[in-house]
Amino acid sequence: MLDYHLHLWPHDERATPLNLDQLKAYCEKAQAAGVQELAVTEHLFRFRQAEALLGGFWSDDRVPAALAASMADYWDFHATADLDAYVRCAQEAKDAGLPVVIGLEVDFYRGRMDEVAGLLAGYPFDVLLGSVHWLDAWRFDDIDVPLQMDEWSARKVDDCWNQYTVALEELAASGACDVLAHPDLIKVAGYVPDAPDEWWDRMAEAAASSGMAAELSSAGWRKPVGEQYPALPLLERFAARGVPFTTASDAHRYEQVADRAADLRSLLDAVGVGELQGYEGRVPHRVAVGSPPPPSEEG
Ligand SMILES: [Zn+2]
Ligand SMILES: [Zn+2]
């Protein structure tokens, strides 16, 4: 098993200096859960280098002023860390023999993924996750912010799923990233169309035609939707198309590392997937799902 989606800082905390001890603790917790390899994947928007390139992307006449102002505040709060220091710390962990690879969770920026790829090409990343968290300036997954959640009542659910899928398709086609993170994140707040099949088909096609892997993530169990990403019918579509998988917790703190790895293992089993995909220098390789850890002595 892998835990290929890990954050260092919770969203409500400012970035703090990185240290190897945090990564060591993550590795110990993951290994106890039968997870062999971890990817450190902080959000691109936590870094000043992202702000310099992309800051203000939300300024558009068509974007409601309140959403634009909220996004500006969000970036002010989040984009404070140094990407070079982050990569150096992950490299040190790797050099020290910890089972980690150097990653990043990259947001989708419509029409700008070439610029994003240009920024990231200068770093020794092993794996890049591609994520759609926002539709223009709307943070549809920011479930603790009423301004963002009110938008769900102002929009049609089908339209939101369609806009999300179009973004995912462009992200996949850009070739900027390796893994589709939480592929059906648009369901996060619990708004799901009566018949999502068309969008599931398109999400599976986006992954299959781009060669990207899909992430099987336990994070959805901690959200209002209350199920893993992707939903079982989408997981089955990925498996049927031969899309490779990573597994992930999307932990934002120590307690969530390797969260529900055993449940993810059961899902892989249910769809007949016995191998995962790992990455080194953005080159994929196969990784055995492996056996579950022995029961702990405390029982
Ligand atoms: Zn994410
Ligand atoms: Zn994440």
Side-chain angles (χ1 to χ4, degrees):
M1 293 287 280
L2 304 169
D3 193 344
Y4 254 39
H5 191 150
L6 293 160
H7 297 277
L8 305 169
W9 308 301
H11 279 289
D12 56 358
E13 285 178 19
R14 290 210 180 253
T16 46
L18 296 158
N19 66 79
L20 274 190
D21 289 342
Q22 182 182 8
L23 292 180
K24 265 186 208 152
Y26 276 23
C27 289
E28 280 163 21
K29 182 151 199 301
Q31 285 174 324
V35 171
Q36 305 106 298
E37 189 169 86
L38 295 80
V40 188
T41 58
E42 196 42 80
H43 290 286
L44 172 60
F45 63 78
R46 300 272 349 198
F47 300 101
R48 294 192 298 273
Q49 287 88 342
E51 165 116 76
L53 179 68
L54 300 158
F57 79 89
W58 52 84
S59 312
D60 184 311
D61 291 346
R62 291 163 301 174
V63 168
L67 289 182
S70 174
M71 190 62 103
D73 287 347
Y74 190 81
W75 274 62
D76 265 357
F77 183 85
H78 281 86
T80 59
D82 176 34
L83 187 57
D84 299 78
Y86 163 80
V87 169
R88 254 195 325 270
C89 179
Q91 182 71 58
E92 268 174 45
K94 220 175 140 173
D95 295 345
L98 294 179
V100 300
V101 298
I102 310 170
L104 195 70
E105 179 170 13
V106 181
D107 298 284
F108 171 67
Y109 300 91
R110 182 153 44 92
R112 303 193 59 181
M113 293 314 288
D114 286 351
E115 292 169 69
V116 172
L119 168 67
L120 302 181
Y123 295 91
F125 286 114
D126 290 307
V127 62
L128 295 174
L129 310 184
S131 300
V132 178
H133 296 116
W134 315 320
L135 298 177
D136 295 321
W138 175 34
R139 301 198 306 279
F140 65 81
D141 71 335
D142 207 343
I143 53 175
D144 299 323
V145 178
L147 172 75
Q148 306 296 336
M149 289 304 100
D150 288 350
E151 283 293 304
W152 277 109
S153 330
R155 303 185 189 211
K156 289 200 179 84
V157 173
D158 283 16
D159 292 347
C160 298
W161 274 61
N162 197 59
Q163 210 186 333
Y164 173 87
T165 304
V166 168
L168 197 80
E169 287 166 340
E170 187 185 325
L171 169 66
S174 76
C177 301
D178 308 304
V179 182
L180 286 174
H182 38 60
D184 54 350
L185 180 68
I186 188 66
K187 72 184 176 185
V188 59
Y191 297 91
V192 177
D194 295 333
D197 298 71
E198 174 203 333
W199 293 291
W200 285 332
D201 288 342
R202 285 169 55 191
M203 291 174 197
E205 171 61 22
S209 60
S210 65
M212 290 179 81
E215 175 187 273
L216 173 58
S217 165
S218 59
W221 277 309
R222 307 193 298 267
K223 302 290 180 175
V225 70
E227 68 171 16
Q228 81 287 340
Y229 308 105
L232 188 58
L234 179 55
L235 180 66
E236 288 168 341
R237 281 167 170 78
F238 285 138
R241 302 286 303 264
V243 172
F245 290 98
T246 65
T247 45
S249 67
D250 203 350
H252 282 71
R253 52 175 59 85
Y254 170 81
E255 291 72 22
Q256 297 168 342
V257 172
D259 187 29
R260 299 187 70 161
D263 294 319
L264 297 181
R265 185 190 295 277
S266 304
L267 280 167
L268 291 171
D269 221 34
V271 295
V273 172
E275 276 188 324
L276 300 172
Q277 186 144 286
Y279 290 85
E280 175 91 39
R282 302 196 61 201
V283 177
H285 60 267
R286 309 301 285 174
V287 175
V289 170
S291 328
S296 72
E297 280 178 20
E298 299 88 61

